[in-house]
């Protein structure tokens, strides 16, 4: 296996925006499919063609006899090797003290299949082509059964029960808040509104397809697993559960990752299968998914319906909000899907507003679709979408200005720290500042003139805003730890757990060190997750890496500073002075440098990024095509370490929000077949879909972590989905369109504007 390229190899005289850029733009990165060990065998997965069926008979004798085939795995081989099911990450208590009923996905189908694309068997052969050709000889007889494709079908009386332990296909009936208080407020309120949003199923589409390589060392008993991931410790634990191989006999390695968005935080069947195959065959085994496989089998995102009710007094002050939610889990519980439908939807259901009474009740339902799991924001964009569109709907219904309605209900600065009616504690937010600046940058007050000018050209103009608030990830382990050592050239290497999938960890962590220690960023190297050191920490997810691992790095710098000062004094440094680390450390001997080695540890919980996004759109009523003509984002992300990285994260998130609002949709037909199974049918954002995002940050620092940052990973999509939707409805309502679900494709917009046609 080739060595991983050094990130410090750079072209002379060239300025790179990020430390990572040189290797990534010159094709010298180390993605999983680049790491091909000698004598590697190749796997191919045989998948279910049916949404729901009983497996009557499996005859793979011809597959086993095909040229180049080394092993064929079914559920029997997986069970014999000790493998089981892919783990579910979270469970929650249900309404009335009920217990959540969980159905996890077997590594390979066991007696039945429950979605199109579910793995049934794996063929391992000398080449990928031989494995794929051999799979064509599989003789598998299915008894096709009636599927339940939607949650409504799954919950209907008499619906087929998909799992024997889950009556009525209801995994969890979750609740948060005070139902009685909300019911009473809605009963007495002079003004009420009700509005439903449906966030359609989305396919994640990281640029790097899912890939896994396992290489077993019989002498040590260790199997090394190379795969894109969002954290090697979490992946290790989950792969051990799925494969049945003890965690101490597996080493997970992740180098460069071409995007993740939540999809790389949990293992798939292929992870366990290549581990078992490599241990059985004594050879490295790899599998890389095609785009077709990724579309049909990768965990999907969103798939939520939120039905909101709001109670207002005559001045527009919010008295109560209630949400009744349906979460489509797909065929199995996968990774954090229960967390999305329970905690992540409820924790910020009050948004940016002072609301006396809150209540949420969510039903998590199994259907015959691909399992749902984390996708950028993991429920947080969905609840922000529901709140902000509900407010716009209520403002329109009762004659309030949407800006004034938000302003009168903001939690005021003097109320912080503020505990919401369902128990979430916000530390510090300055909603008025982001709103005022966004209105100024977007020239909100001049919009009606622009609307009139567009009308003169036969176009429909709309403007919308969203004053979102979200909660960053709480973390799966109690603390993040890092270690740091200096080499003889004075370069500091920081060892940590979390690795990047495009966020720029190497750049941002080096910047923190430069700010805290004065050591130039180019003298800092970050080694993620595969360095043989026992460290605790969380992977990427929930916008927490910068302030989670970053806080540990701040602590590391403090310890290095203390130890360097003590050594400086011992070596005769001038009293009251401090060493210049960049020039001083290379003069130390090995023993002295070793005294500067240190560990940093920090505990960091959730933070609350927030902001105001404003979108302005223009619709051509003749075609239904919509152009976004202006987009403004003013965000409170706490302390900003790298403005350039923040802008990149915001732009990427806004574009993903655009994709959800205007084009992306994973559609299943009545038989549970995926109608959007290729890029001919599933539309993705393209270059030019948005103008430049005009972005500013107010940086109200948080005291919840040592960095002072709140996180940026989900801000773009959390703000853009409701802002773009509100802009569309601002234009469409004037044409008599009262409500419309995303996506606003050209065809659907045209049909809404031309109902008679």
């Amino acid at each position: 296996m080739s060595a991983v390229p050094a990130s410090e190899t750079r072209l002379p005289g060239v300025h790179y925006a990020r430390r990572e850029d040189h290797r990534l733009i010159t094709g010298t990165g180390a993605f999983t499919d680049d790491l091909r060990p000698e004598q590697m065998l190749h796997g191919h997965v045989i998948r279910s063609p049916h949404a729901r069926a009983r497996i009557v008979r499996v005859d793979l004798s011809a597959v086993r006899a095909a040229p180049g085939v080394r092993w064929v795995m079914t559920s029997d081989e997986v069970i014999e090797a000790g493998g089981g099911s892919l783990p579910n990450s979270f469970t929650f208590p249900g309404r009335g003290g009920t217990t959540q009923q969980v159905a996890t996905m077997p590594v390979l189908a066991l007696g039945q299949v429950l979605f199109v694309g579910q793995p049934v068997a794996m063929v391992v052969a000398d080449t990928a082509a031989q494995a794929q050709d051999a799979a064509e000889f599989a003789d598998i007889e299915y008894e096709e059964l009636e599927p339940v494709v939607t949650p409504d079908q799954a919950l209907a009386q008499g619906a087929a029960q998909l799992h024997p332990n889950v009556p009525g296909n209801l995994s969890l009936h979750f609740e948060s808040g005070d139902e009685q208080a909300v019911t009473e407020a809605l009963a007495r309120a002079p003004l009420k509104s009700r509005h439903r949003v449906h966030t359609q199923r989305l396919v994640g589409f990281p640029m790097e397809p899912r890939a896994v390589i396992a290489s077993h060392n019989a002498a040590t008993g260790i199997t090394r697993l190379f795969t894109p991931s969002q954290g090697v410790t979490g992946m290790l634990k989950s792969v051990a559960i799925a494969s049945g191989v003890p965690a101490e006999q597996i080493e997970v390695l992740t180098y460069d990752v071409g995007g993740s968005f939540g999809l790389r935080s949990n293992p798939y069947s292929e992870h366990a299968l290549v581990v078992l195959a490599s241990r059985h065959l004594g050879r490295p085994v790899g599998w890389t998914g095609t785009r077709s496989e990724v579309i049909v089998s990768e965990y999907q995102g969103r798939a939520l319906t939120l039905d909101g009710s709001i109670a207002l007094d005559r001045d527009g002050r919010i008295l109560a909000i209630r949400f009744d939610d349906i979460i489509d889990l797909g065929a199995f519980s996968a990774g954090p899907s229960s967390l999305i439908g329970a905690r992540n939807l409820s924790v910020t259901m009050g948004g940016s507003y002072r609301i006396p009474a809150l209540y949420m009740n969510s039903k998590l339902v199994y259907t015959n679709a691909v399992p749902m799991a984390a996708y950028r924001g993991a429920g947080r964009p969905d609840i922000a979408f529901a709140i902000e569109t509900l407010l716009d709907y209520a403002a329109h219904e009762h004659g309030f200005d949407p800006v004034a309605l938000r302003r009168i209900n903001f939690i005021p600065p003097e109320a912080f720290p503020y505990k919401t009616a369902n128990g979430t504690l916000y530390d510090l937010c300055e909603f008025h500042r982001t709103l005022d600046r966004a209105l100024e940058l977007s020239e909100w007050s001049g919009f009606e003139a622009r609307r009139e000018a567009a009308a003169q050209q036969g176009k429909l103009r709309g403007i919308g805003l969203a004053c979102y608030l979200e909660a960053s990830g709480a973390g799966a382990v109690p603390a993040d730890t890092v270690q740091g050592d200096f080499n003889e050239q004075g370069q500091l290497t920081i060892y940590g757990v979390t690795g990047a999938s495009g966020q720029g960890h190497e750049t941002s962590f080096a910047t923190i060190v430069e700010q805290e220690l004065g050591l130039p960023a180019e003298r800092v190297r970050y080694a993620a997750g595969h360095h043989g050191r026992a460290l605790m920490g969380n992977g990427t997810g929930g916008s927490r890496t910068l302030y989670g691992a970053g806080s540990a790095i701040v602590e590391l710098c403090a310890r290095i500073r203390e130890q360097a000062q003590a050594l400086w004094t011992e070596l005769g440094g001038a009293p009251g002075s401090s060493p210049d680390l960049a020039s001083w450390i290379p003069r130390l001997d090995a023993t002295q440098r070793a005294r500067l080695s240190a560990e940093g540890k920090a505990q960091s919980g959730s933070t609350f990024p927030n902001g105001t996004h404003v979108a302005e759109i223009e619709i051509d009523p003749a075609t239904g095509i919509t152009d976004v003509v202006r987009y403004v984002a003013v965000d409170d992300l706490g302390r900003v370490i790298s403005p350039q990285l923040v802008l990149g994260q915001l732009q990427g998130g806004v574009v993903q929000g655009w994709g959800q609002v205007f084009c992306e949709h994973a559609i299943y037909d009545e038989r549970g077949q995926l109608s959007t199974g290729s890029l001919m049918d599933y539309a993705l954002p393209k270059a030019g879909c948005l103008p430049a995002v005009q972005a500013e940050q107010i940086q109200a620092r948080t005291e919840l972590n040592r960095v002072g940052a709140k996180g940026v990973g989900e801000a773009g999509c959390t703000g853009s989905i409701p802002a773009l939707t509100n802009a569309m409805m601002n234009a469409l309502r004037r044409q008599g369109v009262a409500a419309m679900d995303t996506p606003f494709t050209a065809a659907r917009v045209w049909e809404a504007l031309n109902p008679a046609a």
Side-chain angles (χ1 to χ4, degrees):
M1 183 176 296
S2 61
V4 178
S7 61
E8 283 70 32
T9 304
R10 304 161 72 80
L11 297 177
V14 178
H15 172 73
Y16 297 97
R18 308 184 312 162
R19 299 285 301 277
E20 301 87 341
D21 285 347
H22 175 257
R23 70 172 185 271
L24 297 178
I25 64 177
T26 57
T28 56
F31 297 92
T32 297
D33 201 50
D34 297 324
L35 309 171
R36 295 188 172 223
E38 294 181 1
Q39 297 187 316
M40 186 177 83
L41 303 174
H42 298 262
H44 177 81
V45 177
I46 299 172
R47 302 183 184 277
S48 167
H50 304 295
R52 180 168 175 254
R54 187 171 66 87
I55 300 175
V56 177
R57 180 177 53 84
V58 177
D59 183 355
L60 301 178
S61 56
V63 179
R64 293 185 174 94
V69 172
R70 300 285 179 156
W71 199 34
V72 178
M73 304 172 68
T74 67
S75 59
D76 290 341
E77 283 75 17
V78 171
I79 293 170
E80 184 178 348
S85 297
L86 302 174
N88 169 64
S89 302
F90 299 91
T91 57
F92 291 87
R95 177 183 170 120
T98 56
T99 301
Q100 182 173 4
Q101 302 301 310
V102 174
T104 55
M105 186 168 87
V107 171
L108 289 175
L110 187 60
Q112 64 174 348
V113 290
L114 291 176
F115 66 92
V116 172
Q118 182 177 348
V120 176
M122 178 181 254
V123 184
V124 180
D126 290 335
T127 69
Q130 287 176 326
Q132 185 173 359
D133 289 344
E136 297 294 326
F137 296 115
D139 182 8
I140 304 175
E141 181 183 349
Y142 298 94
E143 178 190 352
E144 191 173 1
L145 303 172
E146 193 70 24
V148 289
V149 181
T150 69
D152 286 344
Q153 292 174 351
L155 293 173
Q157 187 173 3
Q161 184 170 321
L162 303 185
H163 302 285
N165 65 314
V166 189
N169 301 313
L170 181 63
S171 173
L172 174 67
H173 191 174
F174 173 85
E175 64 179 354
S176 175
D178 189 332
E179 183 176 20
Q180 182 177 347
V182 170
T183 300
E184 291 173 355
L186 285 164
R188 68 173 184 268
L191 303 175
K192 293 184 280 288
S193 290
R194 183 175 176 182
H195 179 62
R196 185 199 71 120
V197 298
H198 175 67
T199 59
Q200 70 272 24
R201 277 182 168 265
L202 303 177
V203 179
F205 277 107
M207 292 181 69
E208 179 189 14
R210 190 164 81 249
V212 285
I213 298 172
S215 181
H216 183 63
N217 185 323
T220 64
I222 302 296
T223 305
R224 307 182 87 192
L225 181 69
F226 301 88
T227 187
S229 75
Q230 291 182 224
V232 295
T233 52
M235 181 65 75
L236 170 60
K237 178 181 177 181
S238 296
V239 170
I241 293 171
S243 66
V245 177
E248 58 270 20
Q249 295 179 24
I250 303 174
E251 183 182 5
V252 176
L253 296 97
T254 295
Y255 295 104
D256 290 320
V257 178
S260 54
F261 315 122
L263 300 172
R264 301 291 176 254
S265 58
N266 302 283
Y268 292 78
S269 293
E270 294 83 9
H271 290 78
L273 291 170
V274 297
V275 166
L276 295 176
S278 180
R279 293 174 73 90
H280 176 79
L281 296 169
R283 294 265 298 274
V285 178
W287 174 90
T288 299
T290 64
R291 283 295 176 198
S292 297
E293 285 183 289
V294 166
I295 294 173
V296 78
S297 68
E298 195 132 282
Y299 300 147
Q300 295 176 356
R302 308 300 187 233
L304 311 171
T305 300
L306 297 92
D307 193 341
S309 300
I310 188 169
L312 303 166
D313 69 15
R314 296 202 181 277
D315 294 325
R317 288 184 174 82
I318 302 173
L319 303 174
I321 283 183
R322 173 183 177 126
F323 283 106
D324 296 284
D325 311 329
I326 300 291
I327 291 84
D328 182 355
L329 294 174
F332 302 95
S333 291
S337 58
S338 296
L339 178 76
I340 295 166
R343 183 262 183 190
N344 281 11
L345 286 181
S346 62
V347 71
T348 56
M349 66 170 293
S352 306
Y353 310 104
R354 179 147 56 179
I355 305 171
L358 294 169
Y359 177 70
M360 175 175 285
N361 120 89
S362 299
K363 294 181 178 180
L364 283 63
V365 184
Y366 291 118
T367 64
N368 291 121
V370 172
M372 179 271 283
Y375 175 69
R376 198 168 193 166
R380 291 173 284 255
D382 305 271
I383 188 61
F385 178 31
I387 293 165
E388 290 301 303
T389 54
L390 175 61
L391 279 175
D392 254 39
Y393 187 87
H396 173 76
E397 186 173 27
H398 300 298
F400 293 111
D401 176 79
V403 173
L405 183 63
R406 287 170 169 83
R407 198 185 296 278
I408 197 176
N409 284 293
F410 277 155
I411 304 164
E414 64 271 14
F416 290 96
Y418 176 82
K419 180 175 284 190
T420 66
N422 66 331
T424 302
L425 184 66
Y426 304 159
D427 65 324
L428 174 64
C429 303
E430 299 183 0
F431 306 123
H432 291 84
R433 289 182 62 192
T434 65
L435 174 62
D436 290 343
R437 185 58 178 149
L439 295 176
E440 180 182 1
L441 289 175
S442 65
E443 301 180 273
W444 182 277
S445 61
F447 170 72
E448 289 303 329
R450 298 194 297 276
R451 193 203 297 267
E452 180 58 32
Q456 296 297 321
Q457 302 298 316
K459 302 294 178 67
L460 308 176
R461 196 97 163 189
I463 195 167
L465 61 77
C467 298
Y468 78 92
L469 174 139
E470 62 139 334
S472 64
V477 299
D480 293 279
T481 57
V482 296
Q483 294 175 357
D485 298 332
F486 288 95
N487 66 10
E488 59 186 11
Q489 288 80 37
Q491 181 190 61
L492 173 64
T493 298
I494 297 176
Y495 301 92
V497 168
T498 182
S501 51
Q503 300 94 331
H505 290 12
E506 295 169 39
T507 298
S508 56
F509 290 162
T511 303
I512 291 174
V513 172
E514 184 171 66
Q515 294 175 353
E516 295 291 327
L517 276 183
L519 189 71
E522 60 267 20
R523 305 286 290 276
V524 181
R525 175 177 174 266
Y526 178 67
H530 39 80
H531 36 62
R533 300 188 179 214
L535 294 172
M536 178 190 303
N538 295 279
T540 62
S543 301
R544 78 175 317 279
T545 293
L546 178 72
Y547 71 77
S551 291
I553 291 172
V554 170
E555 172 65 18
L556 169 71
C557 290
R559 291 180 179 273
I560 290 174
R561 190 165 52 245
E562 292 170 2
Q563 291 163 197
Q565 188 65 48
L567 182 59
W568 168 260
T569 301
E570 285 181 28
L571 296 177
S577 65
S578 300
D580 176 279
L581 296 182
S583 59
W584 179 62
I585 292 176
R587 302 201 300 266
L588 302 177
D589 61 34
T591 301
Q592 292 166 339
R593 285 196 309 273
R595 289 181 57 184
L596 302 183
S597 297
E599 179 172 294
K601 181 177 181 180
Q603 295 178 313
S604 308
S606 290
T607 60
F608 300 94
N610 62 90
T612 300
H613 287 204
V614 179
E616 191 167 332
I617 59 90
E618 193 172 82
I619 302 170
D620 181 352
T623 62
I625 294 174
T626 301
D627 290 322
V628 180
V629 296
R630 175 179 283 184
Y631 196 93
V632 167
V634 180
D635 299 277
D636 170 15
L637 309 171
R639 177 187 173 195
V640 171
I641 299 298
S642 171
Q644 189 172 41
L645 291 181
V646 163
L647 180 59
Q649 286 284 302
L650 277 169
Q651 289 175 331
V654 170
V655 169
Q656 282 186 281
W658 184 95
Q660 178 173 333
V661 172
F662 287 108
C663 66
E664 295 188 55
H665 194 182
I667 301 172
Y668 288 89
D669 68 14
E670 67 278 359
R671 300 303 305 169
Q673 295 290 330
L674 187 61
S675 301
T676 51
S678 76
L679 287 173
M680 295 292 290
D681 310 297
Y682 187 97
L684 288 172
K686 299 179 178 64
C689 66
L690 272 167
V693 175
Q694 193 173 356
E696 288 188 6
Q697 295 84 45
I698 69 165
Q699 299 196 46
R701 289 184 57 152
T702 180
E703 299 298 324
L704 296 176
N705 58 73
R706 296 199 61 175
V707 175
K710 296 180 180 178
V712 65
E714 284 100 9
C717 64
T718 305
S720 65
I721 297 167
L724 290 164
T725 299
N726 284 340
M728 288 298 295
M729 294 311 303
N730 179 258
L732 292 173
R733 283 194 189 102
R734 293 169 68 94
Q735 308 302 311
V737 180
M740 187 174 172
D741 282 331
T742 56
F744 294 96
T745 63
R748 296 181 73 241
V749 170
W750 186 90
E751 289 174 354
L753 292 171
N754 298 275

